[in-house]
């Protein structure tokens, strides 16, 4: 695992955007061989999306031959609800880049048969030869996508019940009213993320410090699904200083040290 430590959220976002653009450009995607990108929602990736929009408008990266698969979607709220992940993605990213609408994939949280919907999603990902780069954030309890503590580390796309912690955390988007937060969601599994060729997580802010500590220094555990990334051959976490608050000083210095010698020109700020 690589842990990239940047001083603040802006630098984290720019680093992540530069990395994504570099990987897309390097793949030189075509309609026959598109670049397959896994996309998260939440506040963590917002800065990266803004930076990618800018890079797109400046002609430094194109999404024309990029196919996306979103991580998760709430169940039981209409697709055009202002807090659906569908609305989030179109408002904050897709409407502002040159992606083709037919290349966007988002789970249907209102599918009549959620089991079929999840199966269809997994098969579609497989049909593209898998996800090239899965982007993600992390919940304060260490969950990736909606793989709450206790989720199988080999899980695939399915319906999950949200924990009270997550419902409280996400109530900030629902008038601070926990009763308005959906109680279930469709989500890719930890195994789905692990099957991607590479994974990049954005972890920022003091409230993520415990999750980062468990993800980087803890043992692999279903109670902190972020920790599964320790088993991935190409996993990167880009974190700000605030999120590193619970790491050992030695761990912090170690990653700073090896990354100083591991400079990828494409991501230099
Ligand atoms: C939700 C999403 C996750 C996201 C997490 C953290 O639970 N399902 O994909 O990583 O929130 O969100 P934020 O980035 O807003 O802290």
């Amino acid at each position: 695992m690589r842990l990239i430590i940047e001083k603040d959220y802006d630098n984290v976002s720019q680093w992540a955007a530069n990395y994504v653009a570099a990987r897309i450009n390097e793949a030189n995607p075509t309609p026959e061989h598109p670049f397959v990108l896994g996309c998260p929602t939440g506040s963590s990736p917002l800065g990266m999306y803004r930076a990618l929009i800018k890079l797109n408008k400046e002609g430094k990266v194109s999404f024309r031959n990029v196919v996306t698969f979103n991580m998760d979607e709430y169940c039981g709220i209409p697709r055009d609800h202002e807090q659906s992940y569908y609305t989030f993605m179109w408002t904050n990213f897709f409407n502002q880049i040159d992606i083709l609408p037919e290349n966007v994939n988002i789970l249907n949280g209102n599918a009549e048969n959620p089991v079929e919907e999840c199966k269809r999603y997994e098969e579609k990902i497989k049909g593209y030869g898998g996800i090239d780069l899965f982007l993600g954030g992390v919940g304060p309890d260490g969950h990736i996508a909606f793989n709450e503590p206790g989720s199988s580390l080999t899980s695939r796309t399915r319906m999950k019940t949200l924990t009270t912690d997550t419902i409280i955390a996400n109530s900030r988007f629902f008038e601070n009213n926990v009763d308005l937060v959906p109680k279930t969601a469709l989500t890719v599994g930890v195994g789905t993320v692990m099957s991607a060729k590479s994974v990049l997580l954005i972890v920022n802010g003091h409230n993520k410090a415990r999750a980062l500590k468990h993800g980087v220094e803890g043992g692999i555990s279903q109670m902190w699904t972020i920790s599964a990334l320790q088993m991935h051959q190409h996993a990167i976490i880009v974190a700000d200083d605030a999120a590193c608050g619970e790491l050992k000083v030695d761990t912090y210095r170690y990653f700073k040290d090896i990354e100083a010698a591991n400079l990828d020109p494409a991501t230099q700020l």
Side-chain angles (χ1 to χ4, degrees):
M1 172 190 287
R2 288 177 67 190
L3 173 63
I4 315 289
I5 302 170
E6 293 293 336
K7 71 173 169 25
D8 56 23
Y9 180 64
D10 284 349
N11 285 25
V12 164
S13 303
Q14 193 61 56
W15 194 98
N18 291 356
Y19 183 84
V20 174
R23 297 292 82 89
I24 294 173
N25 290 336
E26 185 183 82
N28 203 10
T30 61
E32 294 73 33
H33 297 287
F35 188 88
V36 186
L37 188 67
C39 292
T41 53
S43 42
S44 310
L46 274 176
M48 172 188 67
Y49 287 146
R50 278 193 293 267
L52 279 171
I53 291 165
K54 186 157 177 278
L55 290 174
N56 183 236
K57 293 207 186 311
E58 290 167 355
K60 293 182 178 153
V61 67
S62 168
F63 292 89
R64 242 196 122 66
N65 294 319
V66 173
V67 169
T68 62
F69 284 89
N70 258 80
M71 287 191 129
D72 43 16
E73 178 58 287
Y74 288 120
C75 295
I77 54 172
R79 193 176 82 161
D80 59 2
H81 187 286
E82 58 171 1
Q83 291 305 333
S84 75
Y85 287 168
Y86 177 93
T87 302
F88 177 101
M89 289 308 296
W90 281 97
T91 310
N92 293 303
F93 194 37
F94 297 146
N95 271 337
Q96 301 175 64
I97 57 172
D98 62 345
I99 196 159
L100 302 176
E102 61 268 31
N103 284 347
V104 169
N105 295 281
I106 301 178
L107 281 155
N108 176 4
N110 293 303
E112 249 176 63
N113 186 337
V115 174
E116 271 307 310
E117 169 65 1
C118 295
K119 197 165 150 237
R120 180 195 66 81
Y121 208 65
E122 284 280 340
E123 277 163 10
K124 196 160 182 195
I125 293 173
K126 218 190 271 167
Y128 280 105
I131 290 183
D132 290 303
L133 172 59
F134 223 132
L135 305 171
V138 67
D141 61 2
H143 72 252
I144 51 173
F146 267 131
N147 295 287
E148 299 283 27
S151 294
S152 159
L153 299 184
T154 60
S155 51
R156 311 302 301 196
T157 307
R158 69 226 183 282
M159 187 187 276
K160 285 295 286 179
T161 303
L162 309 191
T163 60
T164 303
D165 273 1
T166 297
I167 291 171
I168 293 170
N170 291 5
S171 66
R172 69 191 193 279
F173 301 116
F174 292 85
E175 303 165 31
N176 289 313
N177 181 349
V178 288
D179 295 332
L180 298 179
V181 184
K183 305 294 177 283
T184 53
L186 300 187
T187 178
V188 296
V190 181
T192 319
V193 176
M194 292 293 287
S195 295
K197 289 164 204 153
S198 58
V199 182
L200 171 63
L201 292 194
I202 294 171
V203 183
N204 64 283
H206 284 286
N207 67 329
K208 303 292 174 68
R210 231 155 65 91
L212 187 66
K213 173 197 166 76
H214 283 275
V216 175
E217 293 177 341
I220 297 167
S221 161
Q222 62 174 359
M223 296 315 285
W224 297 88
T225 52
I226 182 179
S227 65
L229 287 196
Q230 293 174 23
M231 291 291 289
H232 199 287
Q233 294 190 356
H234 300 287
I236 302 182
I237 296 179
V238 55
D240 67 356
D241 250 328
C244 294
E246 294 210 20
L247 293 182
K248 290 183 191 137
V249 175
D250 251 11
T251 308
Y252 180 92
R253 285 194 188 135
Y254 171 77
F255 282 105
K256 278 281 200 192
D257 190 37
I258 49 172
E259 283 304 330
N262 195 8
L263 296 179
D264 174 353
T267 54
Q268 290 317 291
L269 302 178

